[in-house]
Amino acid sequence: MADTPTQPLLAANLAEGMKVKSRDGKAIGAVHAFMIHKRSGRAMYAVLSLGGFLGIGKAYYAVPVALLAYDFAADQYVASVEPKVLEGGPSWTSTAPEFDQDYADRVASYYSADKQDLEIG
């Protein structure tokens, strides 16, 4: 029996999305899920939900967790990238892409973030 590669990341969906705002305090969207590395247990990416009304027209964007800072006082995240940059990033509307090394590299390249080796975590 040959070894079949498994997905190194696990999506941990939030029951209720945590709000995300821009550096100037404007609402951007919400954290829909965190992509957790199975071996290390480390959150590597946040999946943000942006736009839409009553769940229609919503799009999802994976961003490196390092681009978000948690605001304890407001109990929400602050994105270090502009909303227009987020809206132009890799995204999907219904079926999430396979979050493999190629996709992780694409996300990192788009946001000029450090590339993460999914084998190591």
Side-chain angles (χ1 to χ4, degrees):
M1 179 189 247
D3 289 333
T4 25
T6 61
Q7 184 74 351
L9 301 177
L10 172 71
N13 294 353
L14 301 179
E16 186 176 314
M18 182 166 278
K19 293 179 183 177
V20 178
K21 65 180 178 179
S22 63
R23 288 178 282 196
D24 62 2
K26 293 181 182 168
I28 295 176
V31 175
H32 171 74
F34 286 103
M35 299 301 290
I36 309 295
H37 190 268
K38 289 179 182 178
R39 280 193 205 141
S40 70
R42 188 171 71 101
M44 298 183 75
Y45 299 91
V47 177
L48 306 184
S49 61
L50 299 149
F53 181 71
L54 299 175
I56 299 170
K58 190 178 288 189
Y60 300 94
Y61 300 79
V63 298
V65 168
L67 299 181
L68 299 176
Y70 182 67
D71 179 344
F72 287 96
D75 191 29
Q76 59 189 359
Y77 284 95
V78 179
S80 63
V81 294
E82 295 300 317
K84 292 278 186 205
V85 173
L86 285 173
E87 291 167 2
S91 66
W92 66 93
T93 55
S94 58
T95 303
E98 182 177 338
F99 212 113
D100 57 10
Q101 188 64 57
D102 289 337
Y103 192 77
D105 290 347
R106 181 175 162 213
V107 169
S109 293
Y110 178 80
Y111 292 108
S112 299
D114 292 335
K115 290 186 178 180
Q116 302 291 323
D117 184 341
L118 297 186
E119 290 300 313
I120 297 170

